[in-house]
Amino acid sequence: MDCKDLVEKLYFYLDGEILTEEERKAIEEHLELCRKCCERYEFERLLWEMVRSNGRNDSIPEALISRIESVIAQF
Amino acid sequence: MVRTREDQKKVFQELLIPELPALFRTALRMTRNREDAEDLVQEAVTKAFAAFERFEEGTNFRAWIFKILTNTFINNYYRLRDRQKAPSLEEMEEETSFQPSFEGVTPEEVLLNTLTREDILRAIESLPLEFRAVVVLTLIEGFSYKETAEILDIPIGTVMSRLHRGRKLLQKLLWEYSTRKTPLEKENEKGWTAKTL
């Protein structure tokens, strides 16, 4: 696997999607050997983790849960 | 399996309640408005219960109810004015160049250290709907590509291409927000988001 291949497959690797076990292993081996790709991987991993955790940070208003429960009770 | 209405309500509620926080978050990202988000969730729940007889027990309730939520949003909330207000994809995808502003610090480090929660949510909510829906369902709510394809009723290849472009657009917006900040703002915000991880 070269750097170009890795960049093309990086998002699939981060998402745990599509790739075969062999492809995942090849990516991991490349990351151990290539500092530039390793830095790119770390940046992408941190960025999307930041997006995920901040995007999940809204709590549902208690009043909405009560509202839904009373709607269900009326069905 | 024949159930009494009361049994049906009980089963429905048991499946629904754990999903409510994620349904509300997704509604919030879609409508960009708390009041509309609350109404959208209530409407989706009402529709879901009306269709619950057709839900096959043992199948993916989470994907099923998210599909109802996104369809309800597109049919009832995504008004013409929202479509007209949205910037064109071409405008959004125009290349921007990013120059590092601190010596010895990579632009990536600057970005990760200066982004705030507000930046991230504003960027997500600025995405055109077709990209926003895929980004929210996969990156934030953790649905697989296949589940997202089923929820949005689009081919899995379309999910992959929209997610790729959605990520690129998000990165572009986040770079822009980061570069617009003054060095003082950057210094004040350093590490803010790291604490929320």
Side-chain angles (χ1 to χ4, degrees), chain B residues 21-39:
Chain B
L23 286 167
F24 176 67
R25 282 195 303 262
T26 301
L28 201 51
R29 298 287 90 80
M30 298 290 197
T31 60
R32 305 181 270 207
N33 172 313
R34 290 189 85 83
E35 205 173 299
D36 281 350
E38 292 188 17
D39 290 345

Side-chain angles (χ1 to χ4, degrees), chain A residues 36-61:
Chain A
K36 195 178 151 197
C37 285
C38 194
E39 285 174 355
R40 168 81 189 261
Y41 163 75
E42 272 305 305
F43 166 68
E44 295 280 355
R45 188 182 68 76
L46 285 170
L47 178 65
W48 301 116
E49 174 55 26
M50 205 181 252
V51 167
R52 193 193 69 85
S53 60
N54 282 282
R56 291 176 67 93
N57 216 359
D58 292 283
S59 54
I60 183 167

Side-chain angles (χ1 to χ4, degrees), chain B residues 50-176:
Chain B
F52 192 53
E53 280 180 351
R54 297 193 295 279
F55 171 72
E56 288 176 43
E57 208 170 342
T59 60
N60 190 339
F61 178 81
R62 190 163 187 255
W64 181 78
I65 196 154
F66 268 81
K67 182 170 188 157
I68 292 171
L69 182 89
T70 53
N71 282 340
T72 305
F73 170 72
I74 289 165
N75 294 332
N76 301 6
Y77 288 81
Y78 189 47
R79 302 180 191 95
L80 189 59
R81 66 177 167 79
D82 294 318
R83 297 169 209 216
Q84 288 168 338
K85 266 196 311 193
S88 80
L89 191 57
E90 289 70 26
E91 282 171 18
M92 292 188 79
E93 284 188 323
E94 272 174 13
E95 280 300 313
T96 43
S97 59
F98 180 79
Q99 297 299 322
S101 53
F102 300 146
E103 220 172 295
V105 179
T106 67
E108 286 81 4
E109 285 171 324
V110 173
L111 179 70
L112 292 172
N113 283 324
T114 57
L115 279 181
T116 65
R117 179 163 187 267
E118 284 68 28
D119 292 334
I120 289 169
L121 297 185
R122 183 156 61 110
I124 292 168
E125 292 176 6
S126 299
L127 292 175
L129 179 64
E130 65 264 41
F131 300 103
R132 195 179 351 140
V134 170
V135 162
V136 167
L137 291 171
T138 54
L139 296 186
I140 295 174
E141 296 306 335
F143 284 105
S144 69
Y145 294 176
K146 185 170 177 287
E147 288 172 322
T148 299
E150 285 165 9
I151 290 169
L152 299 175
D153 208 11
I154 54 177
I156 195 166
T158 306
V159 170
M160 287 153 65
S161 65
R162 285 184 187 176
L163 182 58
H164 185 81
R165 290 176 79 185
R167 270 176 151 136
K168 292 295 169 202
L169 283 172
L170 257 184
Q171 277 194 4
K172 178 178 178 288
L173 289 165
L174 294 171
W175 284 125
E176 284 174 2

